[in-house]
Amino acid sequence: RSISSYHDSAAMMPLLLFLLLALLAAASSFTASPKWTTARNAQTATTTLFADLNEHSQFERRKLFFVVGAGMTGATLVPSLMANAADGKQGPITVIGANGKTGSECVGACLSRGIDVVATSRGGVYTGSYAASQSVRSSVCDVTMPDTVASAVRGSRAVIFAASASKAGGTPAMVDNVGLVNVAKACIEYKVPSLVIVSSGGVSRPDSPVYKFLNVFGKIMEEKIKGEDEVRGLYGAAGIDASTCTYTVIRPGGLTEEKARGVEYLELNQGDTKSGRIARADVAALCVQATMFPNLTGGTTFECYDADTAKPLQTVGLSNILKQTNKADDGDVFVSGKERRGKTFEEIFTGLEKA
């Protein structure tokens, strides 16, 4: 039977009203109207609720009706969903900076895994390659304005910070440093289980050619490492339960527009001593997968690149420009001792050191 037929049945009104209000109360991104609590009877309350739903997005209505429909055939499903929605584990992944190239790939990586995604931007309209998907909801988030950050991340299962400085969006100091810290504070306040940060390889090595070259642009590397360090301090503060609220810093090498090669072609490293090239799509896959293994990735910082492009940080810039690759019989490949490889994401994340 349809929802409208239950709406017409007085016998089902209490159950319908309970399911609708319970779900909305659990979804922190949905604000209940005071009118619902003052309605004199179930018929009036439900009519008011459905009228108010029309003011909200298709994304929110679709999720509501799905769970209500499931609840009508098996009401025992609702308490579990309520609990998960309350702690964010069944909410969407929110991508900060979704209109950027890497941010848009993060949106796509969520969709390919069946995960609802909130694509945020300063203007509030996602214009990337996946905008037509019904599982994408656009939202406003200007990382320099904490109020917009709070409303964007509340209720998320995870947040991916893929924003960076731009001529229109703000300076490195305001976006890559202060903006990142604003996002981390909001994730901690609203107990978002996982914050994944897209940073940059070489960011902790000011003596490297990569750092020196990129830092010319508004001291972006300097601001990125300041933001990283501040986030580590925030999450390391007393009272934060790392098992339920954590962060991961991902430092990609030179970004390419190529198709994803897959996890088996990637290498992770720690210590910021080597880098290489990597497709934005592979970075996006690492970001999304990192949220699924918080016990392995939580509290970690690591570099990522295609394994066959790995070079010491001092020479990787020229190698990337020339698009060099390592040969299987190369005997002078630099080994840091902290490399991670794997055929699955769980395998490649296993053994990462907390930092």
Side-chain angles (χ1 to χ4, degrees), residues 30-101:
F30 210 109
T31 303
S33 168
K35 293 179 287 185
W36 301 345
T37 59
T38 58
R40 293 184 179 180
N41 54 57
Q43 179 75 28
T44 303
T46 306
T47 302
T48 304
L49 185 149
F50 272 80
D52 283 5
L53 276 176
N54 291 328
E55 299 173 5
H56 291 78
S57 71
Q58 178 183 2
F59 175 87
E60 290 166 319
R61 294 196 304 270
R62 178 168 46 84
K63 293 187 75 173
L64 173 65
F65 293 150
F66 171 80
V67 177
V68 169
M72 290 302 178
T73 58
T76 56
L77 178 66
V78 174
S80 174
L81 287 175
M82 287 172 57
N84 287 333
D87 64 17
K89 291 181 180 179
Q90 292 300 318
I93 289 181
T94 296
V95 178
I96 309 293
N99 279 339
K101 292 181 179 180

Side-chain angles (χ1 to χ4, degrees), residues 77-316:
L77 178 66
V78 174
S80 174
L81 287 175
M82 287 172 57
N84 287 333
D87 64 17
K89 291 181 180 179
Q90 292 300 318
I93 289 181
T94 296
V95 178
I96 309 293
N99 279 339
K101 292 181 179 180
T102 302
S104 189
E105 289 297 335
C106 289
V107 172
C110 289
L111 295 177
S112 68
R113 291 160 175 81
I115 301 171
D116 284 333
V117 57
V118 177
T120 78
S121 62
R122 290 177 300 107
V125 178
Y126 172 60
T127 58
S129 302
Y130 311 97
S133 172
Q134 292 187 348
S135 294
V136 178
R137 176 164 65 92
S138 295
S139 180
V140 173
C141 182
D142 183 336
V143 298
T144 68
M145 302 175 65
D147 287 348
T148 70
V149 174
S151 61
V153 308
R154 189 185 297 120
S156 302
R157 72 165 72 178
V159 170
I160 298 174
F161 183 92
S164 193
S166 66
K167 185 177 295 185
T171 65
M174 291 305 298
V175 178
D176 298 82
N177 183 358
V178 176
L180 171 59
V181 172
N182 287 339
V183 171
K185 288 179 177 177
C187 287
I188 292 170
E189 180 178 356
Y190 294 106
K191 296 179 175 58
V192 175
S194 178
L195 167 62
V196 177
I197 300 158
V198 180
S199 184
S200 176
V203 73
S204 69
R205 302 291 180 174
D207 60 335
S208 69
V210 171
Y211 184 106
K212 291 176 181 178
F213 173 72
L214 292 176
N215 206 47
V216 170
F217 303 97
K219 297 185 176 181
I220 190 168
M221 298 293 268
E222 182 179 331
E223 298 300 338
K224 280 182 180 290
I225 192 61
K226 286 180 180 178
E228 278 191 22
D229 288 341
E230 182 68 18
V231 169
R232 292 187 192 95
L234 288 171
Y235 278 88
I240 296 177
D241 185 353
S243 67
T244 59
C245 187
T246 190
Y247 74 94
T248 304
V249 178
I250 298 179
R251 295 170 170 171
L255 295 165
T256 75
E257 311 304 318
E258 297 174 3
K259 292 182 179 180
R261 296 181 69 184
V263 64
E264 64 270 26
Y265 292 95
L266 305 181
E267 182 174 277
L268 309 185
N269 183 60
Q270 292 185 288
D272 214 6
T273 56
K274 61 191 298 188
S275 191
R277 300 185 300 281
I278 185 170
R280 295 180 191 274
D282 279 319
V283 175
L286 283 167
C287 289
V288 175
Q289 290 290 336
T291 72
M292 300 179 183
F293 300 97
N295 58 317
L296 300 177
T297 63
T300 68
T301 298
F302 58 83
E303 297 80 54
C304 59
Y305 43 84
D306 290 345
D308 61 3
T309 68
K311 296 289 183 182
L313 205 57
Q314 293 297 326
T315 61
V316 71

